[in-house]
């Protein structure tokens, strides 16, 4: 039982490049989330998916897209990376409006 | 704006000192409250949570928190900290929507 897994762990991009961050959970949770963590700002919700087939914007969705591929997987895509997107990205899942379980994070640097 | 505020951004304590980290939220109505901890280089882990019932909740590693509805507060406490408690602590709130709103975080440094 791995919980929530994320790939990659680290990534460096140049401005304008695109990439997809992958997230998977094996806890049969309905809800999944993407956050970014920046110093002094806590975690801010980018997008979330309350159930398979649905996605909704969070607090800071601009510049990102998401795909809920199936119940297990929820990916985050940066179409054209910007230095302002340098951050640590966390995926999380939950079984209800309840405790969220977090993945290990992806540290992204955009040059 | 509705928010979650953590008053202490950086706290430095000696081992065995008592800890209290403040958290206030500005949402009305029913809320669920959480404290998460992030040890250096690791992901967030749940320390404790409050949904209803006894407003004094106990979590892992000797932590506890008290929900005071009239003050919109959910402060985290520990009677005697250890060096291994060095971490960043986040208060978070949700309103049964599943979406968590986090405070800015408090970095705790415990000196051995």
């Amino acid at each position: 039982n791995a919980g929530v897994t994320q790939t990659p762990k680290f990534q460096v991009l140049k401005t304008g490049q695109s990439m997809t961050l992958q997230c998977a959970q094996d806890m049969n949770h309905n809800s999944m989330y993407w956050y970014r963590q920046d110093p002094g700002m806590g975690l801010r919700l980018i997008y979330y998916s309350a159930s398979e087939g649905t996605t909704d914007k969070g607090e800071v969705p601009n510049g990102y897209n998401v795909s809920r591929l199936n119940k297990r997987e929820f990916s985050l895509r940066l179409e054209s990376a910007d230095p302002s997107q340098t951050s640590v990205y966390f995926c999380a899942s939950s079984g209800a409006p309840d405790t969220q379980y977090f993945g290990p994070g992806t540290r992204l640097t955009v040059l | 704006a509705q928010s979650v505020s953590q008053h202490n951004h950086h706290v430095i304590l000696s081992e065995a000192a008592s800890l209290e980290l403040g958290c206030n939220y500005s949402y009305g109505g029913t809320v669920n409250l959480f404290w998460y901890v992030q040890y250096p280089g690791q992901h967030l882990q749940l320390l404790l949570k409050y949904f209803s019932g006894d407003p004094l909740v106990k979590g892992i590693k000797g932590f506890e928190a008290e929900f005071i509805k009239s003050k919109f507060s959910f402060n985290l406490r520990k009677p005697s900290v250890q060096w291994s408690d060095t971490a960043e602590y986040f208060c978070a709130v949700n309103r049964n929507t599943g979406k968590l709103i986090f405070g800015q975080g408090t970095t705790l440094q415990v000196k051995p």
Side-chain angles (χ1 to χ4, degrees):
Chain A
N1 189 338
V4 180
T5 57
Q6 292 182 233
T7 55
K9 286 187 166 52
F10 300 95
Q11 184 71 49
V12 178
L13 292 177
K14 294 181 180 178
T15 297
Q17 287 185 317
S18 62
M19 78 161 295
T20 300
L21 281 65
Q22 306 286 354
C23 174
Q25 52 93 8
D26 62 3
M27 295 175 282
N28 202 35
H29 287 164
N30 284 323
S31 301
M32 297 185 74
Y33 311 84
W34 276 105
Y35 294 90
R36 60 178 288 172
Q37 183 182 24
D38 301 293
M41 303 187 76
L43 278 78
R44 293 179 292 169
L45 183 65
I46 304 171
Y47 271 94
Y48 69 102
S49 171
S51 62
E52 186 179 352
T54 68
T55 60
D56 281 292
K57 295 178 181 179
E59 186 183 355
V60 287
N62 291 346
Y64 305 95
N65 284 302
V66 289
S67 296
R68 184 72 183 268
L69 303 169
N70 47 55
K71 192 171 186 179
R72 288 188 65 248
E73 298 172 289
F74 188 39
S75 62
L76 178 73
R77 183 161 177 83
L78 286 70
E79 292 290 352
S80 179
D82 183 83
S84 65
Q85 294 177 306
T86 293
S87 188
V88 182
Y89 292 84
F90 288 99
C91 178
S93 71
S94 70
D98 192 34
T99 307
Q100 292 187 17
Y101 296 86
F102 287 81
T106 295
R107 188 173 294 273
L108 175 67
T109 301
V110 183
L111 302 175
Chain B
Q2 296 178 324
S3 66
V4 179
S5 297
Q6 293 181 237
H7 316 298
N8 319 98
H9 297 296
H10 197 155
V11 173
I12 302 174
L13 295 173
S14 298
E15 275 194 315
S18 64
L19 170 71
E20 180 159 3
L21 301 182
C23 173
N24 285 90
Y25 61 94
S26 62
Y27 303 98
T30 302
V31 293
N32 300 322
L33 300 156
F34 304 81
W35 276 98
Y36 282 86
V37 61
Q38 186 178 29
Y39 297 105
Q42 296 189 27
H43 59 283
L44 274 77
Q45 303 170 42
L46 181 70
L47 265 182
L48 47 80
K49 61 185 178 183
Y50 173 80
F51 283 13
S52 64
D54 188 342
L56 183 63
V57 292
K58 295 192 183 300
I60 61 171
K61 304 187 181 187
F63 285 91
E64 66 179 30
E66 185 175 13
F67 171 51
I68 303 180
K69 189 173 183 179
S70 61
K71 294 185 178 181
F72 296 87
S73 70
F74 189 56
N75 292 353
L76 181 71
R77 300 194 291 247
K78 186 171 184 179
S80 176
V81 294
Q82 301 173 316
W83 177 78
S84 58
D85 293 323
T86 293
E88 191 159 15
Y89 293 80
F90 294 95
C91 180
V93 175
N94 83 31
R95 301 162 70 198
N96 275 326
T97 63
K99 291 193 287 184
L100 278 177
I101 307 299
F102 283 86
Q104 306 94 317
T106 297
T107 301
L108 172 65
Q109 183 182 352
V110 180
K111 294 182 176 179

